[in-house]
Amino acid sequence: MTVFIARDGEPRCAWAGSAPEFLDYHDTEWGYPVADDRRLFEKISLEGFQSGLSWRTILAKRENFRAAFAGFDFHVVAEFTDADVERLLQDPGIVRHRGKIEAVVNNARRAVDLVDAQGSLASYFWRYEPAPDELDPPQTVSTSPASVALSKDLKKRGWKFVGPTTVFAFMQAMGLVNDHVATCVIRPRVETARSTFTPPG
């Protein structure tokens, strides 16, 4: 597996060197375990927006997305109306795709339902953390049995733009999977963070 050697002389996952804004995201966010419901909802929403696009496009617009969707407070977004959708379709700072915008509003409502039923998004999502013996070598697959199962259950609950590939990218980013390559200097840091993290139950 090829790596990227950063300015500090340390190896990183190769994709971290493919755009200037990727390195900080790779080093400080990607793969670290997350239990905050708002961050989890933000990430699964942004992964939906990424569908068919590059993560660089979405990352560059992330602050605009946060402003447009009330900081991804899904209780607020769940109250968005058709007028809000039309307003967002005129917002040049985000990806103006009606289906994806409507999916975030729909998913916010489904998230409220899920929290009512499960206690938190975190407790629900972390039930799908794969066991170590279920993991493929880092960055060799774009879906997994766990992402397929989570995608299927979310769709059954009425969520949209949550296919297995989108869900797997979400799991990689939110730490349900440590997909940093073996020689990446960040991989052991993520492992340490995970060792002190208690999955919400």
Side-chain angles (χ1 to χ4, degrees), residues 121-141:
L121 296 184
S123 62
Y124 168 76
F125 284 127
W126 277 94
R127 287 182 205 143
Y128 288 88
E129 180 189 14
D133 62 356
E134 297 173 349
L135 296 174
D136 289 286
Q139 298 177 42
T140 58
V141 298

Side-chain angles (χ1 to χ4, degrees), residues 183-200:
T183 53
C184 174
V185 70
I186 303 302
R187 183 177 178 87
R189 300 180 195 176
V190 169
E191 289 176 348
T192 298
R194 180 63 184 82
S195 70
T196 60
F197 174 80
T198 301

Side-chain angles (χ1 to χ4, degrees), residues 103-135:
V104 173
V105 177
N106 169 79
N107 292 350
R109 294 168 184 161
R110 304 292 77 77
V112 171
D113 293 342
L114 192 56
V115 169
D116 288 343
Q118 306 287 334
S120 69
L121 296 184
S123 62
Y124 168 76
F125 284 127
W126 277 94
R127 287 182 205 143
Y128 288 88
E129 180 189 14
D133 62 356
E134 297 173 349
L135 296 174

